[in-house]
Amino acid sequence: MLHLKPLSPGFGLEASGIDLSERLSDEAFVEIEDAFFDGQVLSIPHQRLTPAEFVAFARRFGPPEPHVIDQFHHPDDRNILILSNVVIDGEPQGLADAGTYFHTDYSYLDVPARATMLYSIEVPESGGDTLFANQYAAYDNLPAAMKRKIEPLVAVHHYGNRHVSEGEARTAASTLTDDQKAKMPLITHPLVRRHPVTGRKALYAVSGSSYGIVGMPHDEAVALLDELTAHATQDKYVLRYSYGVGDVVIWDNASLLHSATLTDPECARTLWRITVKEPVPLGHAEAVLAPTFVQRPM
Ligand code: SIN
């Protein structure tokens, strides 16, 4: 039986009474899945998982998609991306920065991410938190005129952070090799997206990978996206999660933005990450639209 308690007054749930290393019955998984869609962020502390057990659990949510940054795939299973700031003999042991800016995972793919989950292996005494911003609430609280204005708009996405050129700053997305870049076309998604499971409307990926809006001049589109980002990432929509060792934290990419925070490089932080995609290819029809007025990121 799952016990749930809120992580914050607004959203987020912590579950106890469950051991994810065991094969979960369908009933037990449905309880977890319901808590995940209700809470948007679901934390399940005190777990001890092998790579195979972590991947088996992730598969219950949808098909895992290995990250385009393949240098840090787990040697036992490429569905796990190792996030780590640990360097041994000059060799980074994982991806040190998975995005210290608000973004939505895989919003640069035609079939975006349903859930991302982190399993914490080692955590610093302080810092290394993840921030989550509730995009249902951000959408609900928009003025009616803004809702009407953005309802029909379609944003153009590309791997990266629209505000920062590659390699320029700590908040640039991690650099891709030429081969990795070749796999990253321009993709479109509605700015206001109906959640594929709950049916609720949410602002979708207004920060991070959104570089323009179809049919809108670039400067105007960026100004609108920036206005929406400023609204959507206000403190009142944000939950800060601090990890303990053994936490499994799962978040709903369709209703959240999230951001890593700066970590002291002297304090080891290692987590395994799996991202599962939405099972239905909702983005396919949108991906073939020819974007106009869109500057491709350099
Ligand atoms: C991520 O954005 O996938 C990772 C978040 C974190 O490292 O806190």
Side-chain angles (χ1 to χ4, degrees):
M1 173 75 185
L2 203 59
H3 301 285
L4 296 170
K5 70 174 190 196
L7 286 172
S8 81
F11 66 107
L13 290 171
E14 180 183 299
S16 55
I18 195 140
D19 177 354
L20 300 182
S21 69
E22 290 173 1
R23 169 83 197 165
L24 300 171
S25 66
D26 288 347
E27 293 74 24
F29 180 69
V30 166
E31 273 193 273
I32 293 177
E33 199 179 31
D34 287 349
F36 163 71
F37 287 120
D38 284 352
Q40 303 168 253
V41 180
L42 178 67
S43 137
I44 311 176
H46 310 303
Q47 301 300 313
R48 278 176 77 92
L49 299 176
T50 63
E53 288 163 350
F54 188 36
V55 175
F57 173 65
R59 281 189 194 284
R60 305 292 290 270
F61 285 87
E65 174 76 11
H67 199 276
V68 62
I69 295 187
D70 46 14
Q71 302 90 313
F72 298 117
H73 288 172
H74 193 291
D76 289 2
D77 196 316
R78 61 193 284 273
N79 290 304
I80 299 177
L81 173 69
I82 300 175
L83 305 183
S84 182
N85 60 358
V86 175
V87 178
I88 299 176
D89 297 334
E91 288 293 319
Q93 300 299 297
L95 181 65
D97 182 355
T100 45
Y101 58 96
F102 277 105
H103 64 282
T104 300
D105 289 333
Y106 292 1
S107 48
Y108 51 85
L109 299 182
D110 56 348
V111 181
R114 159 161 291 175
T116 301
M117 52 199 84
L118 296 185
Y119 170 48
S120 52
I121 308 291
E122 54 184 341
V123 297
E125 261 178 32
S126 64
D129 304 339
T130 309
L131 307 177
F132 298 99
N134 185 344
Q135 300 304 285
Y136 286 142
Y139 173 77
D140 289 346
N141 292 341
L142 283 172
M146 179 60 99
K147 284 185 179 161
R148 277 195 300 278
K149 174 175 173 172
I150 65 175
E151 180 75 36
L153 299 182
V154 173
V156 180
H157 294 264
H158 190 270
Y159 178 90
N161 177 6
R162 80 167 168 274
H163 281 304
V164 186
S165 316
E166 200 178 280
E168 187 187 284
R170 179 79 161 82
T171 52
S174 304
T175 311
L176 302 184
T177 62
D178 287 344
D179 279 356
Q180 290 166 345
K181 275 183 201 155
K183 294 182 193 151
M184 296 286 119
L186 291 177
I187 292 294
T188 58
H189 294 294
L191 210 53
V192 178
R193 193 162 178 267
R194 223 175 245 291
H195 192 288
V197 173
T198 67
R200 282 185 68 181
K201 287 181 180 176
L203 283 177
Y204 185 70
V206 293
S207 175
S209 66
S210 43
Y211 281 84
I213 293 175
V214 174
M216 190 179 280
H218 182 70
D219 291 353
E220 200 183 315
V222 169
L224 178 57
L225 290 166
D226 287 351
E227 181 183 348
L228 292 169
T229 298
H231 165 77
T233 57
Q234 293 173 79
D235 287 351
K236 64 181 176 184
Y237 301 129
V238 173
L239 159 65
R240 173 180 283 270
Y241 190 85
S242 294
Y243 296 86
V245 171
D247 289 1
V248 170
V249 175
I250 315 163
W251 66 85
D252 176 4
N253 284 290
S255 68
L256 295 168
L257 286 168
H258 67 278
S259 172
T261 54
L262 291 173
T263 314
D264 182 345
E266 300 303 315
C267 302
R269 179 182 194 260
T270 301
L271 303 99
W272 295 347
R273 175 181 132 154
I274 301 177
T275 302
V276 303
K277 293 176 82 173
E278 291 177 356
V280 184
L282 291 172
H284 278 172
E286 294 143 18
V288 300
L289 282 175
T292 52
F293 292 119
V294 171
Q295 281 180 9
R296 207 183 162 84
M298 302 306 288

